[in-house]
Each structure stands twice: as structure tokens, then as C-alpha cells.
Amino acid sequence: MAKYSHRMVPEIFQTFWSGMAAGEFITGAAEAAGSYRKQGARWLAACGGVRPRRGRNLKGRCLTFAEREEIAIGIAAGHTLRDIAKALNRSPSTISREIARNREPSGRYRARSAHAAAYHRASRPKPSKLATNPSLRETVEKSLTERHSPEQIAGRLRLDFPDDPQMRVSTETIYQSLYQPS
């Protein structure tokens, strides 16, 4: 079973990061997110001081933690799926799929465990193109030792391998391989 964390709730976690981006102190940003300074310091340390991309701008496509709580309350009150969907302004099929996918093994629906399960299922443990293509990795590493920039490398790959899409890589992928811990 997936473990719940505040980082899974963008309404809380991203509020903290918005405050930090606006220049607030950790205390102020954590209070704006409904938390406390020590938790804000933990969030900052866990992300290495860099705002995580995950959880930003979902724009209503994914169910929020608050909506999952409303679903759990509606089920406990004995409301129908259509009533719950109408209250949340969502499709009944969305509510039905949510309950079916994120129900606990015991059959109960709880917002915390449902949100954790959905968050972990949405994660993409997709390996980097540089990790899966040894010849591309070798070419990029050779160019980096020659002190070429990621922009130069990406452009050069397009010229050297015009007909091979497997030998193309974005500059962001090169930067991630340079600066992300393995």
C-alpha cells in the first residue's frame, strides 16, 4: 500500500513553493500552506531547494485530495455515485473509476490511501534516453569531455545523424543527466 505524504497534495505543497518563489521566509511560506516552519524546512531540504515540477498546473484534470475527501464522505453518508458526481461537478464514470481503482483491499474507500495510490500510479519511472541508448550516451559523454555545451551537442547530433531519431536528445535531458544524482 502506498504511503501518504503532504507532498502528494499540490494545494498544500505548491502553496509553500509559491511563497518561497515570491521571496517569503520559510516560516511565512509554511504558514501560508497551513503548516509550520520545521515542516517547510523539511520540504525545502527534501527537494534540494528546487521547486518540484510535479503537481503544478493540473487544471482540474486530476481529482484533488479535497475531492477525494468529498467522495469518501458521500460514500459514508450513503449517497449514490450520481449524487456525489453532481456535487463535485464531475462525471459519474469518473467517480466510479476513482472508487474502483483506489479502494483499499478491505473494500473501504479512504481519501488518504486513495490519493496516495493515485499519486504513485501516476509516477512515471521512465528511464532516460541516455540510460537506454549506450551509443547515444557515449557520443554525448565524448562531446561533454570536449567541453561542448548541451545546446551544441543536441544540434550536432541532428547534423551527424539526420535519419536516426534514436540518436537525438534534448538539451534538458543532457542537463538532467549532469545535475541529477544517480
Side-chain angles (χ1 to χ4, degrees):
M1 169 115 354
K3 189 175 177 192
Y4 173 83
S5 166
H6 285 293
R7 286 185 292 190
M8 297 175 184
V9 184
E11 301 88 42
I12 296 172
F13 195 56
Q14 292 297 338
T15 303
F16 167 76
W17 284 102
S18 295
M20 292 301 294
E24 290 185 35
F25 290 111
I26 294 174
T27 306
E31 286 174 359
S35 192
Y36 51 96
R37 186 195 63 76
K38 187 70 174 172
Q39 183 63 49
R42 286 186 197 124
W43 288 337
L44 198 64
C47 296
V50 179
R51 183 180 186 168
R53 294 183 54 102
R54 186 156 184 202
R56 291 195 214 176
N57 304 325
L58 294 176
K59 296 183 181 163
R61 192 178 68 82
C62 301
L63 288 173
T64 64
F65 181 67
E67 288 174 321
R68 287 188 171 97
E69 285 182 325
E70 291 298 322
I71 292 170
I73 291 168
I75 291 170
H79 297 299
T80 66
L81 296 181
R82 290 191 180 279
D83 291 339
I84 296 169
K86 191 173 187 180
L88 294 175
N89 198 24
R90 295 279 189 166
S91 168
S93 62
T94 301
I95 305 305
S96 175
R97 277 193 310 270
E98 168 66 19
I99 294 168
R101 285 181 185 156
N102 297 319
R103 184 178 283 157
E104 290 182 343
S106 65
R108 294 181 64 182
Y109 180 86
R110 294 181 184 233
R112 284 175 69 103
S113 60
H115 197 71
Y119 184 89
H120 288 293
R121 197 173 37 256
S123 297
R124 296 186 65 201
K126 184 177 165 187
S128 161
K129 196 170 187 180
L130 291 173
T132 59
N133 188 338
S135 60
L136 175 63
R137 181 174 182 81
E138 185 180 314
T139 304
V140 170
E141 285 177 349
K142 182 176 178 252
S143 295
L144 286 171
T145 58
E146 294 171 359
R147 307 200 40 90
H148 293 125
S149 72
E151 289 82 4
Q152 291 171 323
I153 296 168
R156 191 73 216 170
L157 286 169
R158 273 188 229 101
L159 294 174
D160 291 346
F161 304 98
D163 300 327
D164 189 3
Q166 293 299 316
M167 289 299 287
R168 304 241 174 100
V169 69
S170 69
T171 56
E172 290 84 7
T173 302
I174 298 171
Y175 279 117
Q176 284 177 354
S177 69
L178 287 173
Y179 297 113
Q180 277 188 345
S182 298

